[in-house]
Amino acid sequence: GARRGTLAACGVLGPVVWRTAGYSLSCPNAKCSLPSTRLFSSSRSIAAPQSKGEYDLAVVGGGIVGLATARELLIRHPGLRLAVLEKESEVGFHQTGHNSGVVHAGIYYPPGSLKAKLCVQGLDLSYKYFDDQKIPYKKCGKLIVALSQDELPGLEQLHKRGVTNGVKD
């Protein structure tokens, strides 16, 4: 049956009605052995599936990347009939559910690198999203210390790298 819930503790997809169905998927490739898969389907779409199991698109994996991808697809295509396939009984069960909750600032990545740019941009977008969705957070910063005089030049390099990368805090 349908249950009302949120597809992730952080509200990645927001409040939606989701249905779980213990579908076992099979692959036409005889050498392929898919694990038993759970189906989380969103009824946020304007056009509901015509019959059980009809979707325009399926996102494989209910971790943070899969859910963020599904969310973005639903934002860009509100009428999309979307299913998120997850082998566990709940989303965010593995690495996503075990992270430390740190939003990285981009201080450790080489200046001009894609990682540095995405960290700085992702930090800003994360806090904007948290504020827009009224998700509580604590911006506590990071304290990086030198334990000896020998480590001071490295500390200065980190500071310069952070400034060059556009890290605000």
Side-chain angles (χ1 to χ4, degrees):
R3 297 188 301 181
R4 182 160 294 282
T6 300
L7 286 184
C10 65
V12 171
L13 284 178
V16 296
V17 175
W18 50 280
R19 296 174 181 83
T20 58
Y23 293 116
S24 291
L25 301 180
S26 60
C27 178
N29 181 350
K31 294 180 182 177
C32 178
S33 59
L34 286 170
S36 177
T37 303
R38 304 287 289 175
L39 171 68
F40 296 87
S41 63
S42 168
S43 67
R44 291 181 69 182
S45 63
I46 296 168
Q50 299 299 319
S51 67
K52 188 175 183 180
E54 285 188 20
Y55 298 93
D56 298 316
L57 186 65
V59 174
V60 178
I64 191 68
V65 173
L67 292 176
T69 301
R71 176 184 178 273
E72 186 64 25
L73 286 165
L74 288 172
I75 288 170
R76 292 183 185 197
H77 309 281
L80 186 68
R81 297 171 300 180
L82 178 73
V84 175
L85 303 174
E86 171 56 50
K87 70 177 181 173
E88 302 298 343
S89 61
E90 58 188 80
V91 295
F93 187 75
H94 290 285
Q95 188 61 37
T96 296
H98 296 97
N99 74 57
S100 62
V102 172
V103 180
H104 294 277
I107 199 165
Y108 292 105
Y109 299 114
S113 69
L114 183 59
K115 281 188 176 184
K117 290 176 186 175
L118 292 177
C119 273
V120 172
Q121 182 182 14
L123 181 87
D124 292 339
L125 289 171
S126 293
Y127 287 124
K128 180 183 179 330
Y129 181 80
F130 301 154
D131 290 339
D132 291 349
Q133 299 299 317
K134 297 180 179 36
I135 297 171
Y137 62 88
K138 189 173 190 179
K139 204 172 188 180
C140 56
K142 182 173 193 165
L143 179 63
I144 304 171
V145 298
L147 299 177
S148 69
Q149 290 288 354
D150 295 343
E151 293 179 349
L152 287 175
L155 191 61
E156 182 60 33
Q157 284 299 105
L158 276 179
H159 179 260
K160 286 180 184 175
R161 184 180 298 157
V163 170
T164 303
N165 285 345
V167 176
K168 294 180 182 101
D169 296 330

mmCIF file of all heavy atoms in Angstrom, residues 10 14 28 34 36 41 50 55 79 82-84 87 98 106 120 124 130 138 156-157 163 169:
data_model
loop_
_atom_site.group_PDB
_atom_site.id
_atom_site.type_symbol
_atom_site.label_atom_id
_atom_site.label_comp_id
_atom_site.label_asym_id
_atom_site.label_seq_id
_atom_site.Cartn_x
_atom_site.Cartn_y
_atom_site.Cartn_z
ATOM 1 N N CYS A 10 17.068 13.985 5.106
ATOM 2 C CA CYS A 10 17.319 15.399 4.849
ATOM 3 C C CYS A 10 16.257 16.015 3.945
ATOM 4 O O CYS A 10 16.333 17.185 3.622
ATOM 5 C CB CYS A 10 18.691 15.584 4.218
ATOM 6 S SG CYS A 10 18.827 14.835 2.595
ATOM 7 N N GLY A 14 11.651 15.775 -0.631
ATOM 8 C CA GLY A 14 10.532 16.440 0.017
ATOM 9 C C GLY A 14 9.429 15.456 0.337
ATOM 10 O O GLY A 14 9.519 14.276 0.042
ATOM 11 N N PRO A 28 17.584 -9.551 -19.256
ATOM 12 C CA PRO A 28 17.595 -10.515 -20.342
ATOM 13 C C PRO A 28 18.966 -11.163 -20.553
ATOM 14 O O PRO A 28 19.070 -12.211 -21.149
ATOM 15 C CB PRO A 28 17.179 -9.698 -21.566
ATOM 16 C CG PRO A 28 17.310 -8.280 -21.174
ATOM 17 C CD PRO A 28 17.263 -8.214 -19.694
ATOM 18 N N LEU A 34 20.932 -9.618 -11.150
ATOM 19 C CA LEU A 34 20.574 -8.439 -10.379
ATOM 20 C C LEU A 34 20.130 -8.856 -8.983
ATOM 21 O O LEU A 34 19.453 -9.862 -8.830
ATOM 22 C CB LEU A 34 19.413 -7.701 -11.052
ATOM 23 C CG LEU A 34 19.739 -6.930 -12.317
ATOM 24 C CD1 LEU A 34 18.454 -6.471 -12.990
ATOM 25 C CD2 LEU A 34 20.599 -5.732 -11.994
ATOM 26 N N SER A 36 17.860 -8.581 -5.553
ATOM 27 C CA SER A 36 16.464 -8.218 -5.324
ATOM 28 C C SER A 36 16.402 -6.714 -5.140
ATOM 29 O O SER A 36 17.235 -6.135 -4.453
ATOM 30 C CB SER A 36 15.952 -8.935 -4.068
ATOM 31 O OG SER A 36 14.641 -8.543 -3.810
ATOM 32 N N SER A 41 8.508 4.727 -5.775
ATOM 33 C CA SER A 41 8.003 5.541 -6.875
ATOM 34 C C SER A 41 7.327 6.777 -6.333
ATOM 35 O O SER A 41 6.622 6.725 -5.341
ATOM 36 C CB SER A 41 7.030 4.747 -7.750
ATOM 37 O OG SER A 41 5.897 4.382 -7.007
ATOM 38 N N GLN A 50 -0.045 4.584 -15.906
ATOM 39 C CA GLN A 50 -1.293 3.994 -16.391
ATOM 40 C C GLN A 50 -1.581 2.679 -15.690
ATOM 41 O O GLN A 50 -2.713 2.351 -15.431
ATOM 42 C CB GLN A 50 -1.226 3.788 -17.910
ATOM 43 C CG GLN A 50 -1.040 5.083 -18.685
ATOM 44 C CD GLN A 50 -2.186 6.053 -18.467
ATOM 45 O OE1 GLN A 50 -3.343 5.662 -18.437
ATOM 46 N NE2 GLN A 50 -1.868 7.317 -18.272
ATOM 47 N N TYR A 55 6.781 3.514 -16.015
ATOM 48 C CA TYR A 55 7.522 4.713 -15.678
ATOM 49 C C TYR A 55 8.266 5.190 -16.907
ATOM 50 O O TYR A 55 8.618 4.414 -17.780
ATOM 51 C CB TYR A 55 8.512 4.433 -14.532
ATOM 52 C CG TYR A 55 7.803 4.011 -13.280
ATOM 53 C CD1 TYR A 55 7.604 2.661 -13.007
ATOM 54 C CD2 TYR A 55 7.304 4.951 -12.404
ATOM 55 C CE1 TYR A 55 6.914 2.268 -11.881
ATOM 56 C CE2 TYR A 55 6.624 4.558 -11.272
ATOM 57 C CZ TYR A 55 6.428 3.222 -11.010
ATOM 58 O OH TYR A 55 5.747 2.833 -9.912
ATOM 59 N N GLY A 79 6.141 16.346 -15.017
ATOM 60 C CA GLY A 79 5.216 15.281 -15.418
ATOM 61 C C GLY A 79 5.879 13.926 -15.567
ATOM 62 O O GLY A 79 5.224 12.951 -15.932
ATOM 63 N N LEU A 82 8.626 8.723 -12.569
ATOM 64 C CA LEU A 82 9.968 8.357 -12.148
ATOM 65 C C LEU A 82 9.938 7.287 -11.071
ATOM 66 O O LEU A 82 9.141 7.361 -10.144
ATOM 67 C CB LEU A 82 10.686 9.603 -11.613
ATOM 68 C CG LEU A 82 12.090 9.403 -11.085
ATOM 69 C CD1 LEU A 82 13.058 9.168 -12.250
ATOM 70 C CD2 LEU A 82 12.521 10.604 -10.285
ATOM 71 N N ALA A 83 10.829 6.332 -11.186
ATOM 72 C CA ALA A 83 11.003 5.312 -10.154
ATOM 73 C C ALA A 83 12.450 5.336 -9.693
ATOM 74 O O ALA A 83 13.366 5.531 -10.493
ATOM 75 C CB ALA A 83 10.662 3.929 -10.702
ATOM 76 N N VAL A 84 12.664 5.181 -8.398
ATOM 77 C CA VAL A 84 14.006 5.028 -7.844
ATOM 78 C C VAL A 84 14.113 3.572 -7.402
ATOM 79 O O VAL A 84 13.303 3.108 -6.605
ATOM 80 C CB VAL A 84 14.252 5.978 -6.645
ATOM 81 C CG1 VAL A 84 15.607 5.696 -6.010
ATOM 82 C CG2 VAL A 84 14.155 7.435 -7.084
ATOM 83 N N LYS A 87 18.149 -1.572 -3.748
ATOM 84 C CA LYS A 87 18.162 -2.969 -3.321
ATOM 85 C C LYS A 87 17.848 -3.130 -1.836
ATOM 86 O O LYS A 87 17.420 -4.189 -1.412
ATOM 87 C CB LYS A 87 19.497 -3.631 -3.659
ATOM 88 C CG LYS A 87 20.673 -3.155 -2.839
ATOM 89 C CD LYS A 87 21.927 -3.906 -3.202
ATOM 90 C CE LYS A 87 23.090 -3.439 -2.347
ATOM 91 N NZ LYS A 87 24.258 -4.255 -2.548
ATOM 92 N N HIS A 98 25.778 7.014 6.492
ATOM 93 C CA HIS A 98 26.882 6.925 7.446
ATOM 94 C C HIS A 98 27.880 8.064 7.313
ATOM 95 O O HIS A 98 28.980 7.982 7.833
ATOM 96 C CB HIS A 98 27.610 5.592 7.265
ATOM 97 C CG HIS A 98 26.747 4.414 7.567
ATOM 98 N ND1 HIS A 98 26.100 3.710 6.585
ATOM 99 C CD2 HIS A 98 26.376 3.846 8.737
ATOM 100 C CE1 HIS A 98 25.385 2.735 7.140
ATOM 101 N NE2 HIS A 98 25.537 2.808 8.439
ATOM 102 N N GLY A 106 36.357 23.317 0.298
ATOM 103 C CA GLY A 106 37.241 23.389 -0.860
ATOM 104 C C GLY A 106 38.634 23.860 -0.529
ATOM 105 O O GLY A 106 39.387 24.258 -1.416
ATOM 106 N N VAL A 120 33.287 24.814 -3.507
ATOM 107 C CA VAL A 120 32.873 26.180 -3.160
ATOM 108 C C VAL A 120 31.433 26.428 -3.611
ATOM 109 O O VAL A 120 30.605 26.932 -2.851
ATOM 110 C CB VAL A 120 33.846 27.221 -3.762
ATOM 111 C CG1 VAL A 120 33.322 28.636 -3.582
ATOM 112 C CG2 VAL A 120 35.225 27.082 -3.124
ATOM 113 N N ASP A 124 27.842 26.814 -1.122
ATOM 114 C CA ASP A 124 26.849 27.880 -1.230
ATOM 115 C C ASP A 124 25.458 27.316 -1.531
ATOM 116 O O ASP A 124 24.466 27.718 -0.925
ATOM 117 C CB ASP A 124 27.242 28.885 -2.317
ATOM 118 C CG ASP A 124 28.474 29.697 -1.954
ATOM 119 O OD1 ASP A 124 28.800 29.797 -0.755
ATOM 120 O OD2 ASP A 124 29.112 30.231 -2.881
ATOM 121 N N PHE A 130 19.362 24.415 2.407
ATOM 122 C CA PHE A 130 18.980 24.221 3.808
ATOM 123 C C PHE A 130 18.075 25.354 4.280
ATOM 124 O O PHE A 130 17.064 25.129 4.950
ATOM 125 C CB PHE A 130 20.215 24.158 4.717
ATOM 126 C CG PHE A 130 21.185 23.060 4.394
ATOM 127 C CD1 PHE A 130 22.522 23.186 4.737
ATOM 128 C CD2 PHE A 130 20.794 21.895 3.748
ATOM 129 C CE1 PHE A 130 23.436 22.188 4.461
ATOM 130 C CE2 PHE A 130 21.701 20.885 3.455
ATOM 131 C CZ PHE A 130 23.027 21.037 3.823
ATOM 132 N N LYS A 138 24.131 23.583 11.648
ATOM 133 C CA LYS A 138 25.019 24.370 12.492
ATOM 134 C C LYS A 138 26.288 24.643 11.698
ATOM 135 O O LYS A 138 26.993 23.714 11.308
ATOM 136 C CB LYS A 138 25.347 23.597 13.771
ATOM 137 C CG LYS A 138 26.078 24.391 14.806
ATOM 138 C CD LYS A 138 26.203 23.597 16.085
ATOM 139 C CE LYS A 138 26.726 24.467 17.197
ATOM 140 N NZ LYS A 138 26.822 23.705 18.445
ATOM 141 N N GLU A 156 50.113 28.063 6.286
ATOM 142 C CA GLU A 156 50.021 29.262 5.457
ATOM 143 C C GLU A 156 49.605 28.899 4.025
ATOM 144 O O GLU A 156 48.801 29.586 3.404
ATOM 145 C CB GLU A 156 51.357 30.019 5.451
ATOM 146 C CG GLU A 156 51.340 31.297 4.659
ATOM 147 C CD GLU A 156 50.326 32.317 5.149
ATOM 148 O OE1 GLU A 156 50.059 32.381 6.364
ATOM 149 O OE2 GLU A 156 49.772 33.060 4.306
ATOM 150 N N GLN A 157 50.139 27.793 3.499
ATOM 151 C CA GLN A 157 49.768 27.330 2.160
ATOM 152 C C GLN A 157 48.277 26.974 2.099
ATOM 153 O O GLN A 157 47.607 27.286 1.108
ATOM 154 C CB GLN A 157 50.610 26.111 1.756
ATOM 155 C CG GLN A 157 52.022 26.452 1.342
ATOM 156 C CD GLN A 157 52.026 27.367 0.125
ATOM 157 O OE1 GLN A 157 52.284 28.556 0.263
ATOM 158 N NE2 GLN A 157 51.735 26.831 -1.038
ATOM 159 N N VAL A 163 41.898 30.933 0.125
ATOM 160 C CA VAL A 163 41.605 32.269 -0.412
ATOM 161 C C VAL A 163 41.550 32.212 -1.937
ATOM 162 O O VAL A 163 40.615 32.738 -2.553
ATOM 163 C CB VAL A 163 42.655 33.298 0.070
ATOM 164 C CG1 VAL A 163 42.521 34.625 -0.664
ATOM 165 C CG2 VAL A 163 42.534 33.505 1.582
ATOM 166 N N ASP A 169 34.544 31.218 4.378
ATOM 167 C CA ASP A 169 34.662 31.151 5.847
ATOM 168 C C ASP A 169 35.962 30.487 6.262
ATOM 169 O O ASP A 169 36.413 29.578 5.670
ATOM 170 C CB ASP A 169 33.489 30.366 6.448
ATOM 171 C CG ASP A 169 32.170 31.084 6.196
ATOM 172 O OD1 ASP A 169 32.163 32.301 6.115
ATOM 173 O OD2 ASP A 169 31.155 30.383 6.074
#
